[in-house]
Amino acid sequence: MLFSSISFLYYFLPAVLGLYFITPAKYKNLVLLLASLFFYFYGEPLYSILMVFSIISAYLHGLWINSAQTQKLKKAAFISSIFFSTGALLFFKYHIFFVNNFNSIFDTSIVPLNVLLPIGISFYTFQILSYTIDLYRGKVNIQKSLINFATYVSMFPQLIAGPIVRYSTIEESLDKRTHSISDVAWGINRFIIGLAKKVIIANSLGEIGVLFNSADEKSVLFFWVAAIAFTLQIYFDFSGYSDMAIGLGRIFGFRFLENFNYPYIAKSVTEFWRRWHISLGTWFRDYIYIPMGGNRVNLLKWGRNILVVWFLTGFWHGAEWNFVIWGLYFALFLVIEKYFLKNLFAKLPSAIGHFYLLLTVVISFVIFNADGMGEAILNLKGMFGLTGAPFTNAETIYYLKSYAFIFILAAIGATPLLKNISQKLTVYASAEKIFNVIKPAVHVVLLLLVTGYLIDGSFNPFIYFRF
Amino acid sequence: MNKNIINIILVGCFVMLTSGFMLVNTIKPDGDFSYFERRKLLQPPGYSPEKLLNGQFFSDYEKYFLDQFVFRDTFRGLKAFTRLHLLNQKDNNGIYIIDGNINKIEYPLDEKAILNAAEKLNQVYERYLKELNVSYAVIPDKNYFIADKYGYPSMDYDRLLEILQNNVLDMQYIDLFAHLSIDDYYRTDIHWSQEKIIDVADIILAGMANRYPASDFEYTEKELYPFYGALYGQAALSISPDTLFYLTNAMLEKATVYDYETMTESKVYMTELFEGVDPYDIFLSGAKALITIENPEAASDKELILFRDSFGSSIAPLLLGGYSKITMVDLRYISTDLLDNYIDFTKGQDVLFLYSTQILNNSFMLR
């Protein structure tokens, strides 16, 4: 089920909210769990069994780790847990990739199994791993309640497209949490903003990609328009989803960490990754990079650590080589920045850093968005006029004009400009009063607009569902 | 205002909207048909364990919710207004409006489809029409007149005609492009307006060497109001409706229409269909695979075979004066292979292929 769907907004959500808030505190997790299981079952009926299996497996392994009498047994339980969790992910997400590459290398013709990627498997597997690893390390306490543990893993606000909520973040809230009208209002506010970002901006920008793919003659400018549109689309799509998840979490009394912090205002790739998909970046940092030694090792090992982390970051996004290249592309820039550009950019105007970052990111998303490396190279060639296409044509100009306002809106929305203005204005009591009055009206209008877009439109995929 | 009150108002509005719509949508009886979209609305999907497990059941329900949402047309209008006027986008679902004239972007030119259309014409010619006087004409869509001027993409019409002229064999081309203008079409519909195309009928008749031009006949102009054309519903915005005109006279009133599919007779103008799904159906009862119009008062015993799309319905009455019988074939609904079961091609008829650019650009629907 999509957050941006009529079934979620006007059936599932009001029903679940009503049920949740009339249920006594000790049964609230059960309500949330049942709602989450239905939410997942609605989109992935068959694979619900896989998720339930993963939850029970991780829960039992948690009990085993906790009750192991010796360090050896504890380690065995831990390895077994990791094996089952990552085994499911490797099989369902990556086996076709491995089989195809094996066939290519060894000239065999093994037919991969016809299994589809279960929605959200990368997200809930990483959540399970965070619990297991932290439990093994003694950083979190055992969760003895299967209902509470299953609620953590399957909680519908962040189940299928993140953010990756670590068990330690909501450990206490799972057992005991408070609800307040201000939290619910804050959550609704955040949810509606995320919904509008997704439906009105991201989906509109996504149309450009569809138009680009169906265009007969693609001009150089159209290659750039499509690349920039996707760069903005993926931000508004994914950060919009994160906003909705964080907002819904708050409504139910959970405080999820932020997942985005205006990444496109960064001045370097290093800074960009501190602001983009923060929950994934910190996950790899804390569970892979630092345990391998991080940067407190010799140069060779540091290079290995960087390669491993960014290979995995790319590979996490998809079982295709272009995702791996995408991850390694960032690794390359991180190394270059550390040794060369960092000092150089410190001396140059910040606009140059911004330009460098945006160009690097736009190109990265061309690789990311392509259907394989062949298409990525073709699109990059197109952007740099190497396909013999004209610089522009009437079609490009038409779409550029038609989507100009959306581009401007998206560009402004990708910066903290509006947030800063509103914060400055709220210093004045009269401005704050006006904000307070118009806020509910704006939210009602946005919700109605989104409803109109959903009813009239058919273009509504979440990009991060495929990861 | 106290911040807590603001929070209560915000939460109250959200709860009222989401649960209110849930309640209304649940108790509201399902609609059967969308007049503006001219289609049946989805009904609750049937259940089967297989559909449930493969996801089809919920996916069908999602579409059903969209179709049956209360105030559906109002929400569609809200979206169209936002897109066109607030976000300043140039079209909404390919629909754009210039001075109250609604247009649908038809772009790009599908050269393979045009070539296929040419081959289809040749195929029909080779099989049935070798001994006959055969012509073809193309009706430009409204974009031809308006798109370039206002910066909208439109198909390459010169290329379309070039492909046809290079590939359609043994037929005479009758040019209509130069004789039409945007004013000859309805504002809310894709079609031309019958009272504006008498000159076009004359051009066609002259092209086929018929000696009885449409302009030689007297007509009474009758009107029906309001006419909400096919594009009106797609635009989803409040635009003043058209008036539908039709031209009649004693000859046309005596003419009889025979539908081979239903084996029934009817009149040229079926005004009772004006209140139906497509008011344009008043012309020869709308889309039909194969019909004939018999004209007992014809000035000659010549016959015409008209291969046509929906544009043909409104021009055929204007061509009727010079023919005792017009056989109208819509290849979207009847296969070429079946034609000689119904039509005798040995009577020296005139033959006209009359297709709009939209149909030619989507010609794979021709059978």
Side-chain angles (χ1 to χ4, degrees), chain A residues 363-383:
Chain A
I363 290 172
S364 84
F365 281 129
V366 172
I367 298 168
F368 184 96
N369 190 32
D371 191 10
M373 274 315 289
E375 188 181 301
I377 291 166
L378 190 71
N379 286 340
L380 288 170
K381 277 183 172 178
M383 287 168 74

mmCIF file with all atom_site columns, all heavy atoms in Angstrom, chain A residues 363-383:
data_model
loop_
_atom_site.group_PDB
_atom_site.id
_atom_site.type_symbol
_atom_site.label_atom_id
_atom_site.label_alt_id
_atom_site.label_comp_id
_atom_site.label_asym_id
_atom_site.label_entity_id
_atom_site.label_seq_id
_atom_site.pdbx_PDB_ins_code
_atom_site.Cartn_x
_atom_site.Cartn_y
_atom_site.Cartn_z
_atom_site.occupancy
_atom_site.B_iso_or_equiv
_atom_site.pdbx_formal_charge
_atom_site.auth_seq_id
_atom_site.auth_comp_id
_atom_site.auth_asym_id
_atom_site.auth_atom_id
_atom_site.pdbx_PDB_model_num
ATOM 1   N N   . ILE A 1 363 ? 25.203 13.818 -12.398 1.00 0.00 ? 363 ILE A N   1
ATOM 2   C CA  . ILE A 1 363 ? 25.801 12.735 -13.196 1.00 0.00 ? 363 ILE A CA  1
ATOM 3   C C   . ILE A 1 363 ? 25.626 11.384 -12.479 1.00 0.00 ? 363 ILE A C   1
ATOM 4   O O   . ILE A 1 363 ? 25.317 10.369 -13.101 1.00 0.00 ? 363 ILE A O   1
ATOM 5   C CB  . ILE A 1 363 ? 27.289 13.044 -13.487 1.00 0.00 ? 363 ILE A CB  1
ATOM 6   C CG1 . ILE A 1 363 ? 27.354 14.209 -14.482 1.00 0.00 ? 363 ILE A CG1 1
ATOM 7   C CG2 . ILE A 1 363 ? 28.023 11.821 -14.026 1.00 0.00 ? 363 ILE A CG2 1
ATOM 8   C CD1 . ILE A 1 363 ? 28.728 14.754 -14.733 1.00 0.00 ? 363 ILE A CD1 1
ATOM 9   N N   . SER A 1 364 ? 25.783 11.405 -11.160 1.00 0.00 ? 364 SER A N   1
ATOM 10  C CA  . SER A 1 364 ? 25.630 10.141 -10.419 1.00 0.00 ? 364 SER A CA  1
ATOM 11  C C   . SER A 1 364 ? 24.227 9.563  -10.606 1.00 0.00 ? 364 SER A C   1
ATOM 12  O O   . SER A 1 364 ? 24.052 8.361  -10.762 1.00 0.00 ? 364 SER A O   1
ATOM 13  C CB  . SER A 1 364 ? 25.911 10.363 -8.926  1.00 0.00 ? 364 SER A CB  1
ATOM 14  O OG  . SER A 1 364 ? 24.767 10.849 -8.259  1.00 0.00 ? 364 SER A OG  1
ATOM 15  N N   . PHE A 1 365 ? 23.232 10.446 -10.620 1.00 0.00 ? 365 PHE A N   1
ATOM 16  C CA  . PHE A 1 365 ? 21.867 9.942  -10.750 1.00 0.00 ? 365 PHE A CA  1
ATOM 17  C C   . PHE A 1 365 ? 21.529 9.514  -12.186 1.00 0.00 ? 365 PHE A C   1
ATOM 18  O O   . PHE A 1 365 ? 20.569 8.780  -12.393 1.00 0.00 ? 365 PHE A O   1
ATOM 19  C CB  . PHE A 1 365 ? 20.855 10.952 -10.214 1.00 0.00 ? 365 PHE A CB  1
ATOM 20  C CG  . PHE A 1 365 ? 20.778 10.930 -8.707  1.00 0.00 ? 365 PHE A CG  1
ATOM 21  C CD1 . PHE A 1 365 ? 20.882 12.093 -7.967  1.00 0.00 ? 365 PHE A CD1 1
ATOM 22  C CD2 . PHE A 1 365 ? 20.624 9.735  -8.020  1.00 0.00 ? 365 PHE A CD2 1
ATOM 23  C CE1 . PHE A 1 365 ? 20.835 12.070 -6.577  1.00 0.00 ? 365 PHE A CE1 1
ATOM 24  C CE2 . PHE A 1 365 ? 20.576 9.693  -6.637  1.00 0.00 ? 365 PHE A CE2 1
ATOM 25  C CZ  . PHE A 1 365 ? 20.688 10.866 -5.907  1.00 0.00 ? 365 PHE A CZ  1
ATOM 26  N N   . VAL A 1 366 ? 22.299 9.985  -13.145 1.00 0.00 ? 366 VAL A N   1
ATOM 27  C CA  . VAL A 1 366 ? 22.132 9.455  -14.510 1.00 0.00 ? 366 VAL A CA  1
ATOM 28  C C   . VAL A 1 366 ? 22.558 7.984  -14.509 1.00 0.00 ? 366 VAL A C   1
ATOM 29  O O   . VAL A 1 366 ? 21.894 7.126  -15.092 1.00 0.00 ? 366 VAL A O   1
ATOM 30  C CB  . VAL A 1 366 ? 22.964 10.278 -15.528 1.00 0.00 ? 366 VAL A CB  1
ATOM 31  C CG1 . VAL A 1 366 ? 22.938 9.608  -16.897 1.00 0.00 ? 366 VAL A CG1 1
ATOM 32  C CG2 . VAL A 1 366 ? 22.416 11.689 -15.630 1.00 0.00 ? 366 VAL A CG2 1
ATOM 33  N N   . ILE A 1 367 ? 23.653 7.704  -13.808 1.00 0.00 ? 367 ILE A N   1
ATOM 34  C CA  . ILE A 1 367 ? 24.129 6.308  -13.708 1.00 0.00 ? 367 ILE A CA  1
ATOM 35  C C   . ILE A 1 367 ? 23.107 5.485  -12.916 1.00 0.00 ? 367 ILE A C   1
ATOM 36  O O   . ILE A 1 367 ? 22.735 4.377  -13.286 1.00 0.00 ? 367 ILE A O   1
ATOM 37  C CB  . ILE A 1 367 ? 25.509 6.268  -13.009 1.00 0.00 ? 367 ILE A CB  1
ATOM 38  C CG1 . ILE A 1 367 ? 26.535 7.044  -13.827 1.00 0.00 ? 367 ILE A CG1 1
ATOM 39  C CG2 . ILE A 1 367 ? 25.961 4.826  -12.766 1.00 0.00 ? 367 ILE A CG2 1
ATOM 40  C CD1 . ILE A 1 367 ? 27.847 7.302  -13.103 1.00 0.00 ? 367 ILE A CD1 1
ATOM 41  N N   . PHE A 1 368 ? 22.640 6.062  -11.838 1.00 0.00 ? 368 PHE A N   1
ATOM 42  C CA  . PHE A 1 368 ? 21.698 5.398  -10.925 1.00 0.00 ? 368 PHE A CA  1
ATOM 43  C C   . PHE A 1 368 ? 20.382 5.052  -11.619 1.00 0.00 ? 368 PHE A C   1
ATOM 44  O O   . PHE A 1 368 ? 19.820 3.971  -11.446 1.00 0.00 ? 368 PHE A O   1
ATOM 45  C CB  . PHE A 1 368 ? 21.448 6.361  -9.759  1.00 0.00 ? 368 PHE A CB  1
ATOM 46  C CG  . PHE A 1 368 ? 20.579 5.838  -8.669  1.00 0.00 ? 368 PHE A CG  1
ATOM 47  C CD1 . PHE A 1 368 ? 21.122 5.272  -7.530  1.00 0.00 ? 368 PHE A CD1 1
ATOM 48  C CD2 . PHE A 1 368 ? 19.197 5.950  -8.736  1.00 0.00 ? 368 PHE A CD2 1
ATOM 49  C CE1 . PHE A 1 368 ? 20.312 4.810  -6.500  1.00 0.00 ? 368 PHE A CE1 1
ATOM 50  C CE2 . PHE A 1 368 ? 18.380 5.492  -7.733  1.00 0.00 ? 368 PHE A CE2 1
ATOM 51  C CZ  . PHE A 1 368 ? 18.939 4.917  -6.607  1.00 0.00 ? 368 PHE A CZ  1
ATOM 52  N N   . ASN A 1 369 ? 19.900 5.995  -12.416 1.00 0.00 ? 369 ASN A N   1
ATOM 53  C CA  . ASN A 1 369 ? 18.550 5.873  -12.998 1.00 0.00 ? 369 ASN A CA  1
ATOM 54  C C   . ASN A 1 369 ? 18.518 5.039  -14.269 1.00 0.00 ? 369 ASN A C   1
ATOM 55  O O   . ASN A 1 369 ? 17.455 4.698  -14.761 1.00 0.00 ? 369 ASN A O   1
ATOM 56  C CB  . ASN A 1 369 ? 18.012 7.285  -13.300 1.00 0.00 ? 369 ASN A CB  1
ATOM 57  C CG  . ASN A 1 369 ? 16.541 7.269  -13.668 1.00 0.00 ? 369 ASN A CG  1
ATOM 58  O OD1 . ASN A 1 369 ? 15.779 6.446  -13.182 1.00 0.00 ? 369 ASN A OD1 1
ATOM 59  N ND2 . ASN A 1 369 ? 16.133 8.162  -14.551 1.00 0.00 ? 369 ASN A ND2 1
ATOM 60  N N   . ALA A 1 370 ? 19.706 4.726  -14.798 1.00 0.00 ? 370 ALA A N   1
ATOM 61  C CA  . ALA A 1 370 ? 19.740 4.032  -16.089 1.00 0.00 ? 370 ALA A CA  1
ATOM 62  C C   . ALA A 1 370 ? 19.376 2.560  -15.935 1.00 0.00 ? 370 ALA A C   1
ATOM 63  O O   . ALA A 1 370 ? 19.519 1.977  -14.864 1.00 0.00 ? 370 ALA A O   1
ATOM 64  C CB  . ALA A 1 370 ? 21.133 4.153  -16.688 1.00 0.00 ? 370 ALA A CB  1
ATOM 65  N N   . ASP A 1 371 ? 18.890 2.023  -17.025 1.00 0.00 ? 371 ASP A N   1
ATOM 66  C CA  . ASP A 1 371 ? 18.593 0.593  -17.060 1.00 0.00 ? 371 ASP A CA  1
ATOM 67  C C   . ASP A 1 371 ? 19.854 -0.124 -17.533 1.00 0.00 ? 371 ASP A C   1
ATOM 68  O O   . ASP A 1 371 ? 19.935 -0.583 -18.663 1.00 0.00 ? 371 ASP A O   1
ATOM 69  C CB  . ASP A 1 371 ? 17.410 0.367  -18.011 1.00 0.00 ? 371 ASP A CB  1
ATOM 70  C CG  . ASP A 1 371 ? 16.866 -1.042 -17.894 1.00 0.00 ? 371 ASP A CG  1
ATOM 71  O OD1 . ASP A 1 371 ? 17.282 -1.752 -16.961 1.00 0.00 ? 371 ASP A OD1 1
ATOM 72  O OD2 . ASP A 1 371 ? 16.045 -1.428 -18.732 1.00 0.00 ? 371 ASP A OD2 1
ATOM 73  N N   . GLY A 1 372 ? 20.840 -0.174 -16.686 1.00 0.00 ? 372 GLY A N   1
ATOM 74  C CA  . GLY A 1 372 ? 22.116 -0.793 -17.049 1.00 0.00 ? 372 GLY A CA  1
ATOM 75  C C   . GLY A 1 372 ? 23.148 0.250  -17.456 1.00 0.00 ? 372 GLY A C   1
ATOM 76  O O   . GLY A 1 372 ? 22.812 1.396  -17.757 1.00 0.00 ? 372 GLY A O   1
ATOM 77  N N   . MET A 1 373 ? 24.419 -0.171 -17.477 1.00 0.00 ? 373 MET A N   1
ATOM 78  C CA  . MET A 1 373 ? 25.507 0.772  -17.764 1.00 0.00 ? 373 MET A CA  1
ATOM 79  C C   . MET A 1 373 ? 25.483 1.262  -19.204 1.00 0.00 ? 373 MET A C   1
ATOM 80  O O   . MET A 1 373 ? 25.922 2.369  -19.493 1.00 0.00 ? 373 MET A O   1
ATOM 81  C CB  . MET A 1 373 ? 26.859 0.125  -17.445 1.00 0.00 ? 373 MET A CB  1
ATOM 82  C CG  . MET A 1 373 ? 27.290 0.271  -15.995 1.00 0.00 ? 373 MET A CG  1
ATOM 83  S SD  . MET A 1 373 ? 27.071 1.926  -15.293 1.00 0.00 ? 373 MET A SD  1
ATOM 84  C CE  . MET A 1 373 ? 28.329 2.874  -16.135 1.00 0.00 ? 373 MET A CE  1
ATOM 85  N N   . GLY A 1 374 ? 24.970 0.428  -20.113 1.00 0.00 ? 374 GLY A N   1
ATOM 86  C CA  . GLY A 1 374 ? 24.894 0.837  -21.519 1.00 0.00 ? 374 GLY A CA  1
ATOM 87  C C   . GLY A 1 374 ? 24.064 2.100  -21.670 1.00 0.00 ? 374 GLY A C   1
ATOM 88  O O   . GLY A 1 374 ? 24.472 3.076  -22.307 1.00 0.00 ? 374 GLY A O   1
ATOM 89  N N   . GLU A 1 375 ? 22.893 2.078  -21.037 1.00 0.00 ? 375 GLU A N   1
ATOM 90  C CA  . GLU A 1 375 ? 22.010 3.243  -21.118 1.00 0.00 ? 375 GLU A CA  1
ATOM 91  C C   . GLU A 1 375 ? 22.624 4.440  -20.393 1.00 0.00 ? 375 GLU A C   1
ATOM 92  O O   . GLU A 1 375 ? 22.499 5.584  -20.839 1.00 0.00 ? 375 GLU A O   1
ATOM 93  C CB  . GLU A 1 375 ? 20.643 2.899  -20.499 1.00 0.00 ? 375 GLU A CB  1
ATOM 94  C CG  . GLU A 1 375 ? 19.610 3.984  -20.711 1.00 0.00 ? 375 GLU A CG  1
ATOM 95  C CD  . GLU A 1 375 ? 18.268 3.643  -20.079 1.00 0.00 ? 375 GLU A CD  1
ATOM 96  O OE1 . GLU A 1 375 ? 17.697 2.609  -20.448 1.00 0.00 ? 375 GLU A OE1 1
ATOM 97  O OE2 . GLU A 1 375 ? 17.817 4.408  -19.205 1.00 0.00 ? 375 GLU A OE2 1
ATOM 98  N N   . ALA A 1 376 ? 23.300 4.173  -19.266 1.00 0.00 ? 376 ALA A N   1
ATOM 99  C CA  . ALA A 1 376 ? 23.933 5.269  -18.517 1.00 0.00 ? 376 ALA A CA  1
ATOM 100 C C   . ALA A 1 376 ? 24.961 5.984  -19.389 1.00 0.00 ? 376 ALA A C   1
ATOM 101 O O   . ALA A 1 376 ? 24.989 7.218  -19.456 1.00 0.00 ? 376 ALA A O   1
ATOM 102 C CB  . ALA A 1 376 ? 24.594 4.718  -17.256 1.00 0.00 ? 376 ALA A CB  1
ATOM 103 N N   . ILE A 1 377 ? 25.781 5.189  -20.071 1.00 0.00 ? 377 ILE A N   1
ATOM 104 C CA  . ILE A 1 377 ? 26.822 5.792  -20.923 1.00 0.00 ? 377 ILE A CA  1
ATOM 105 C C   . ILE A 1 377 ? 26.190 6.571  -22.075 1.00 0.00 ? 377 ILE A C   1
ATOM 106 O O   . ILE A 1 377 ? 26.597 7.682  -22.396 1.00 0.00 ? 377 ILE A O   1
ATOM 107 C CB  . ILE A 1 377 ? 27.787 4.694  -21.444 1.00 0.00 ? 377 ILE A CB  1
ATOM 108 C CG1 . ILE A 1 377 ? 28.616 4.169  -20.259 1.00 0.00 ? 377 ILE A CG1 1
ATOM 109 C CG2 . ILE A 1 377 ? 28.695 5.211  -22.541 1.00 0.00 ? 377 ILE A CG2 1
ATOM 110 C CD1 . ILE A 1 377 ? 29.348 2.878  -20.522 1.00 0.00 ? 377 ILE A CD1 1
ATOM 111 N N   . LEU A 1 378 ? 25.134 6.003  -22.638 1.00 0.00 ? 378 LEU A N   1
ATOM 112 C CA  . LEU A 1 378 ? 24.442 6.683  -23.742 1.00 0.00 ? 378 LEU A CA  1
ATOM 113 C C   . LEU A 1 378 ? 23.877 8.029  -23.280 1.00 0.00 ? 378 LEU A C   1
ATOM 114 O O   . LEU A 1 378 ? 24.019 9.051  -23.966 1.00 0.00 ? 378 LEU A O   1
ATOM 115 C CB  . LEU A 1 378 ? 23.303 5.787  -24.253 1.00 0.00 ? 378 LEU A CB  1
ATOM 116 C CG  . LEU A 1 378 ? 22.641 6.247  -25.546 1.00 0.00 ? 378 LEU A CG  1
ATOM 117 C CD1 . LEU A 1 378 ? 23.595 6.038  -26.724 1.00 0.00 ? 378 LEU A CD1 1
ATOM 118 C CD2 . LEU A 1 378 ? 21.359 5.470  -25.801 1.00 0.00 ? 378 LEU A CD2 1
ATOM 119 N N   . ASN A 1 379 ? 23.273 8.035  -22.098 1.00 0.00 ? 379 ASN A N   1
ATOM 120 C CA  . ASN A 1 379 ? 22.691 9.284  -21.587 1.00 0.00 ? 379 ASN A CA  1
ATOM 121 C C   . ASN A 1 379 ? 23.775 10.304 -21.242 1.00 0.00 ? 379 ASN A C   1
ATOM 122 O O   . ASN A 1 379 ? 23.593 11.503 -21.465 1.00 0.00 ? 379 ASN A O   1
ATOM 123 C CB  . ASN A 1 379 ? 21.817 8.999  -20.363 1.00 0.00 ? 379 ASN A CB  1
ATOM 124 C CG  . ASN A 1 379 ? 20.506 8.337  -20.742 1.00 0.00 ? 379 ASN A CG  1
ATOM 125 O OD1 . ASN A 1 379 ? 20.074 8.406  -21.897 1.00 0.00 ? 379 ASN A OD1 1
ATOM 126 N ND2 . ASN A 1 379 ? 19.860 7.680  -19.800 1.00 0.00 ? 379 ASN A ND2 1
ATOM 127 N N   . LEU A 1 380 ? 24.891 9.815  -20.709 1.00 0.00 ? 380 LEU A N   1
ATOM 128 C CA  . LEU A 1 380 ? 25.992 10.743 -20.400 1.00 0.00 ? 380 LEU A CA  1
ATOM 129 C C   . LEU A 1 380 ? 26.572 11.328 -21.687 1.00 0.00 ? 380 LEU A C   1
ATOM 130 O O   . LEU A 1 380 ? 26.865 12.514 -21.763 1.00 0.00 ? 380 LEU A O   1
ATOM 131 C CB  . LEU A 1 380 ? 27.082 10.020 -19.596 1.00 0.00 ? 380 LEU A CB  1
ATOM 132 C CG  . LEU A 1 380 ? 26.695 9.698  -18.151 1.00 0.00 ? 380 LEU A CG  1
ATOM 133 C CD1 . LEU A 1 380 ? 27.720 8.775  -17.504 1.00 0.00 ? 380 LEU A CD1 1
ATOM 134 C CD2 . LEU A 1 380 ? 26.555 10.978 -17.323 1.00 0.00 ? 380 LEU A CD2 1
ATOM 135 N N   . LYS A 1 381 ? 26.690 10.480 -22.696 1.00 0.00 ? 381 LYS A N   1
ATOM 136 C CA  . LYS A 1 381 ? 27.153 10.985 -24.002 1.00 0.00 ? 381 LYS A CA  1
ATOM 137 C C   . LYS A 1 381 ? 26.200 12.051 -24.523 1.00 0.00 ? 381 LYS A C   1
ATOM 138 O O   . LYS A 1 381 ? 26.610 13.085 -25.038 1.00 0.00 ? 381 LYS A O   1
ATOM 139 C CB  . LYS A 1 381 ? 27.221 9.828  -25.009 1.00 0.00 ? 381 LYS A CB  1
ATOM 140 C CG  . LYS A 1 381 ? 28.484 9.005  -24.938 1.00 0.00 ? 381 LYS A CG  1
ATOM 141 C CD  . LYS A 1 381 ? 28.409 7.965  -26.053 1.00 0.00 ? 381 LYS A CD  1
ATOM 142 C CE  . LYS A 1 381 ? 29.689 7.204  -26.199 1.00 0.00 ? 381 LYS A CE  1
ATOM 143 N NZ  . LYS A 1 381 ? 29.561 6.170  -27.246 1.00 0.00 ? 381 LYS A NZ  1
ATOM 144 N N   . GLY A 1 382 ? 24.895 11.765 -24.384 1.00 0.00 ? 382 GLY A N   1
ATOM 145 C CA  . GLY A 1 382 ? 23.881 12.719 -24.840 1.00 0.00 ? 382 GLY A CA  1
ATOM 146 C C   . GLY A 1 382 ? 24.003 14.049 -24.135 1.00 0.00 ? 382 GLY A C   1
ATOM 147 O O   . GLY A 1 382 ? 23.868 15.115 -24.744 1.00 0.00 ? 382 GLY A O   1
ATOM 148 N N   . MET A 1 383 ? 24.285 14.011 -22.845 1.00 0.00 ? 383 MET A N   1
ATOM 149 C CA  . MET A 1 383 ? 24.400 15.249 -22.068 1.00 0.00 ? 383 MET A CA  1
ATOM 150 C C   . MET A 1 383 ? 25.570 16.099 -22.539 1.00 0.00 ? 383 MET A C   1
ATOM 151 O O   . MET A 1 383 ? 25.550 17.317 -22.435 1.00 0.00 ? 383 MET A O   1
ATOM 152 C CB  . MET A 1 383 ? 24.577 14.913 -20.581 1.00 0.00 ? 383 MET A CB  1
ATOM 153 C CG  . MET A 1 383 ? 23.312 14.409 -19.930 1.00 0.00 ? 383 MET A CG  1
ATOM 154 S SD  . MET A 1 383 ? 23.619 13.698 -18.310 1.00 0.00 ? 383 MET A SD  1
ATOM 155 C CE  . MET A 1 383 ? 23.899 15.150 -17.324 1.00 0.00 ? 383 MET A CE  1
#
